[in-house]
Amino acid sequence: MKRLWLPLLLLALTVAPAWADVAADHYNRGNKLFADGQYAEALAAYQAALDSGADDAAVYLNFGNAAFRLNEVGLAIWAYEMGLRLEPRNEDLRFNLRYAGAFMRDEMPPADEVFILRVGRALAGHFTADEALAGAAAGWLLCGLAVLLWGPWRRFRWRVIALGVLGALLLAFFAPIAAANVHRQAVLERAVVVADEVLVRTGPAETAKEAFTVHAGMRLELIETRDDYARVRIPTGFEGWLPTETYRALRRDAE
Amino acid sequence: MWIRTGSLLLILLLALTSAASAARDEVRLRLEVQPRSVLVGDAVEISIVVEGDRKAQPQLEGAEAFRIVGTQSGSSVQIINGVISISNTFTYTAVAQRAGTATLTAVLPAKRGRALRSEPVSVLVAQAGQAPATTPQGGPAGAPTDAQGRAKPMFMRAILSTAKPYVGEQLTVEYRVYIREGVRPRNFSLNEVPEFTGFVAHELITSNRLNFEGVTIDDTPYRAATVKRYALFPVAPGEATIGSLGLQMTVARTGRGRGWDPFEDFFDLSQGRTVQTASQPVSVTVLPPPTAGRPADWREGVGSYTVSAQLDRSETAVGEPVELKIVVEGDGNVDSIPRPLLALDEAIRVYSEKAKPEIVAGYDSVSGKKTFEIILIASQPGAYEIPAIRVPFWDPKEKGYRTATTEPLHFTATGEAEAAQPQAPGVLSREAIELRGRDLRYIRGDKQTLRMAYQPLSARPAVWVVLALWPLLVLGVTIYQLRVGRLRADRRSWRSRRALREAQQRLTEARALLAKPEAARFYAELHRAVLGFIADKLDAAAPGFSPDELAARLDEAGVSETAIASLRELWREADHVRFAGQTADQKRRKDAYGRARDLLADLARELER
């Protein structure tokens, strides 16, 4: 086993950049096609970049733009949401998401009316789950470090107190954001409707009673899947079943 | 200590896991049904108990004669003599639909072998032989009877305000529960919500508790209470069905009912028990609104309404939006009112429109208002008039068509005529309209490398392990620091504790010098080892002792004369070699080393004592 680690490491170092190069090639080809106005071909190239393992906000932005030019509003919204998952402060993604949202047929419910919830949601929206978790972890470690240094560094008591306060502030600020974002990204199964119009039914079958209709761009919370159907909840709280091919999940698992 | 505790936990966990997996191998299935004989419309409770498989999803066969109206499940885990038994119980509340004998069987679908089936259970369903359970437009008629022709002690009915409503006209359905005199209801819960296919339904206000009133049906005294009331609005002409409502009620016998034999046949009410009942579905015939006197612009309005309209400004610029707000208000299903037709100038376009209904359900009827917000844009300058807005509706109370109207509205648009046409209409907010006037932000440029998919921090167990272990580490180090600090504060105790360890270190160093020619260094280490040990134990300064003083201190401390003599001998020998130039071969040094080691052991024992 000891003899294997070096070849494996070399293989990983060689193969990983190769995948990255393939993905970048697809991406750059997509850009050229987009500039030539060949949006369908550009979309396919961006999709190939994603299939090659890319998880880059630039790919999602360009994918969304190509989809939007093809009147695929739902697909565009999905791509912008995926990009914002990686770069939540990216102004281009934020604007394009709002822009594409203006072409949705369904009206999204208004934001939280409680001030504190609105502020909390806005704050959480500025950080990725990893950033918030790293911030909270740093605060957690600093608090512990301050406790550790309290005895030996008695001469620098004020510095140790400052370290502890800094840790506590980091923890208090980032821990709720981390909890919200990790829950949102890792626990909640979210998705976006990409089909133009979908009939949501009361059961996982084509024969089930019709409940309501959703259109491209509608955000969904996936509750369960059964065969080719998923039970979903829309932001207004309504629940129903729709075919799995009509939405794209807002999740990217590591390759 | 930690390792030992962890090992114990691990062993316990492994034992539990292996016991659990052993328990999984034996899956048992049991079916229970209570009661075994019922009337059509009565409820039974079907329980399927699965032991030994937590994930099993059993199925029920042979239940075609029943309608499942409620399900619940629970699980329990027992550890007896180290053996884990897991059981999941799936309980169904079902209402008998057809007379006959039903044979129920619980089945666990096959996984790797054959399917597991429970012992079958037979349930006898008898025909009630009752009168129609509903009486349109009236109170109760004949009470439903059981197989022996006796009036049922408890039943439900759906009572309608009309059996032939018009499309869009309100039809009120009231679900009432009837209980024979002598029975006291304790509490109730609804377990079957009615379906109103072909209707728009709004629940009317009802009390949270049942207010019973006395009624007599076929000379039998009952007490009746309203459970739910709904306002239904038929959406299409033809036959439509109003669904049944199911209720579970805990009842007990009152003093007046004591000794009432027929009732005792059904329930043992002395302790109180839970009873299931449900109303029967009811059909109604929905009529189309009459054509006589129907206005040409009537579309769907049924009820009694007023209408008002206003513009948010009287002057605007060409291409700028003007908001027209129309409010239709009144009794009826106002949500069904379509946006009134607008006879607009050709230069005015409807750019977007939005409708917001607000429904208010009262005790007897539904009312409300519907607000239409319409964005108009003039493409040419000029003075415009929006003609009177009309809302025609069929008024069921007046049995005729009426029309609500507004006054005409006016506004002026100034500026240059627009060349381009506005976009197609859609439901847009102001923000959406503004956004649509802009364009997407352009794509990102080429890249040499792209970020690849990776596992987020939250999905890496190592992150959580580090974060979880960190407080334990801090706690451990803090406890250690406190302990060391306390020992240092007690200097004498601290020196005494570490005396032997330090002496042994010096002895080790002396031993390393045995084979070397440096005899003086060897004896110096021996001397320091023994003297340092004594100084630490007595909390004194090592260099400050003369042999006599040391002997006196040791004597005071209770050290034996033999040990003191041995110490004096060793000291003298060391001084001779170190300072008088006496030689000491390896054998002599080895002997001195052995004596020093023995002496330290004796001193440690005697000073400790």
Side-chain angles (χ1 to χ4, degrees), chain B residues 151-413:
Chain B
K152 286 182 90 174
M154 178 173 144
F155 60 92
M156 277 201 74
R157 277 183 171 154
I159 298 169
L160 309 183
S161 61
T162 172
K164 290 187 176 178
Y166 287 99
V167 171
E169 180 187 357
Q170 179 180 321
L171 155 68
T172 307
V173 57
E174 182 172 346
Y175 291 96
R176 282 171 73 80
V177 61
Y178 295 82
I179 300 177
R180 281 261 288 275
E181 280 290 355
V183 179
R184 178 163 48 88
R186 281 184 179 163
N187 50 49
F188 75 100
S189 63
L190 299 178
N191 59 1
E192 184 184 350
V193 178
E195 283 193 9
F196 300 119
T197 308
F199 297 93
V200 173
H202 295 284
E203 187 176 343
L204 296 171
I205 294 172
T206 46
S207 172
N208 285 333
R209 46 182 301 205
L210 300 181
N211 298 312
F212 283 93
E213 59 188 12
V215 294
T216 302
I217 304 172
D218 289 346
D219 298 329
T220 305
Y222 277 88
R223 293 200 299 149
T226 300
V227 180
K228 285 278 178 195
R229 305 172 79 244
Y230 294 92
L232 306 180
F233 298 91
V235 295
E239 291 291 315
T241 304
I242 296 168
S244 61
L245 182 137
L247 173 142
Q248 262 188 352
M249 182 176 278
T250 306
V251 292
R253 186 173 58 195
T254 62
R256 280 185 294 165
R258 196 177 297 279
W260 193 341
D261 289 341
F263 208 82
E264 300 289 336
D265 289 348
F266 285 90
F267 314 123
D268 173 13
L269 295 174
S270 54
Q271 300 296 317
R273 63 172 292 180
T274 302
V275 184
Q276 167 75 33
T277 185
S279 68
Q280 295 288 323
V282 189
S283 292
V284 295
T285 306
V286 180
L287 306 172
T291 51
R294 181 188 293 176
D297 54 350
W298 179 87
R299 287 187 285 171
E300 292 178 34
V302 177
S304 176
Y305 302 104
T306 60
V307 62
S308 62
Q310 63 179 41
L311 292 168
D312 71 338
R313 66 196 68 184
S314 57
E315 290 183 1
T316 186
V318 169
E320 290 293 318
V322 177
E323 185 179 272
L324 167 63
K325 187 182 279 187
I326 305 171
V327 180
V328 180
E329 203 167 354
D331 296 331
N333 180 28
V334 71
D335 194 18
S336 69
I337 302 280
R339 196 256 282 165
L341 297 171
L342 298 174
L344 297 173
D345 190 288
E346 281 187 359
I348 301 176
R349 308 269 177 200
V350 175
Y351 199 75
S352 78
E353 59 184 72
K354 200 158 58 174
K356 183 181 167 194
E358 293 173 56
I359 307 291
V360 180
Y363 184 78
D364 282 322
S365 61
V366 168
S367 60
K369 67 178 181 181
K370 189 171 186 180
T371 306
F372 300 91
E373 292 173 355
I374 304 160
I375 303 292
L376 306 173
I377 293 181
S379 58
Q380 305 281 340
Y384 296 100
E385 179 185 275
I386 299 172
I389 296 165
R390 291 167 47 85
V391 178
F393 54 90
W394 159 252
D395 188 339
K397 285 182 186 165
E398 301 288 330
K399 301 288 180 198
Y401 287 95
R402 291 164 53 201
T403 301
T405 57
T406 65
E407 293 295 318
L409 300 168
H410 301 88
F411 75 95
T412 307

Side-chain angles (χ1 to χ4, degrees), chain A:
Chain A
M1 187 62 196
K2 280 182 182 175
R3 290 177 191 170
L4 278 177
W5 72 269
L6 189 60
L8 284 175
L9 182 65
L10 287 173
L11 184 70
L13 290 173
T14 317
V15 171
W19 282 335
D21 287 347
V22 169
D25 286 347
H26 287 305
Y27 167 79
N28 294 336
R29 184 166 52 85
N31 283 357
K32 189 169 181 306
L33 291 163
F34 188 97
D36 293 343
Q38 299 177 55
Y39 301 123
E41 291 78 5
L43 189 68
Y46 294 134
Q47 182 61 58
L50 295 176
D51 293 342
S52 301
D55 193 28
D56 193 300
V59 182
Y60 289 118
L61 177 76
N62 297 5
F63 181 102
N65 285 13
F68 188 84
R69 294 289 181 230
L70 294 165
N71 288 324
E72 296 281 356
V73 176
L75 209 51
I77 288 174
W78 171 82
Y80 299 141
E81 287 273 18
M82 287 293 281
L84 283 169
R85 182 181 51 91
L86 302 168
E87 292 183 14
R89 297 178 292 279
N90 184 315
E91 280 305 318
D92 290 344
L93 282 167
R94 280 171 168 252
F95 176 82
N96 284 2
L97 179 63
R98 280 178 55 219
Y99 183 79
F103 290 83
M104 275 176 62
R105 289 173 66 188
D106 292 326
E107 197 174 357
M108 297 296 283
D112 305 311
E113 290 180 3
V114 181
F115 175 74
I116 191 75
L117 287 178
R118 219 167 44 234
V119 171
R121 198 179 290 274
L123 268 179
H126 272 75
F127 298 96
T128 65
D130 275 4
E131 287 169 348
L133 187 58
W140 180 242
L141 296 176
L142 282 180
C143 285
L145 195 62
V147 173
L148 282 181
L149 295 177
W150 182 252
W153 280 23
R154 200 158 292 174
R155 284 180 302 160
F156 308 108
R157 182 166 290 182
W158 287 109
R159 291 183 195 177
V160 176
I161 289 174
L163 198 66
V165 169
L166 177 66
L169 287 177
L170 278 174
L171 188 63
F173 181 76
F174 280 114
I177 296 176
N181 285 0
V182 168
H183 179 258
R184 188 178 156 85
Q185 291 192 5
V187 182
L188 276 185
E189 290 279 355
R190 299 183 310 129
V192 174
V193 174
V194 294
D196 193 38
E197 184 174 276
V198 186
L199 209 53
V200 183
R201 298 178 182 276
T202 54
E206 208 171 308
T207 50
K209 197 176 152 191
E210 297 167 4
F212 53 93
T213 304
V214 291
H215 298 91
M218 173 59 78
R219 271 56 147 203
L220 307 169
E221 188 186 320
L222 304 179
I223 300 167
E224 62 172 301
T225 53
R226 201 181 296 173
D227 300 330
D228 294 333
Y229 277 81
R231 186 166 151 234
V232 301
R233 184 183 296 125
I234 63 171
T236 53
F238 295 140
E239 290 181 13
W241 294 82
L242 47 71
T244 52
E245 77 221 15
T246 59
Y247 64 81
R248 274 202 185 196
L250 286 170
R251 164 170 284 206
R252 182 65 193 264
D253 295 320
E255 301 293 319

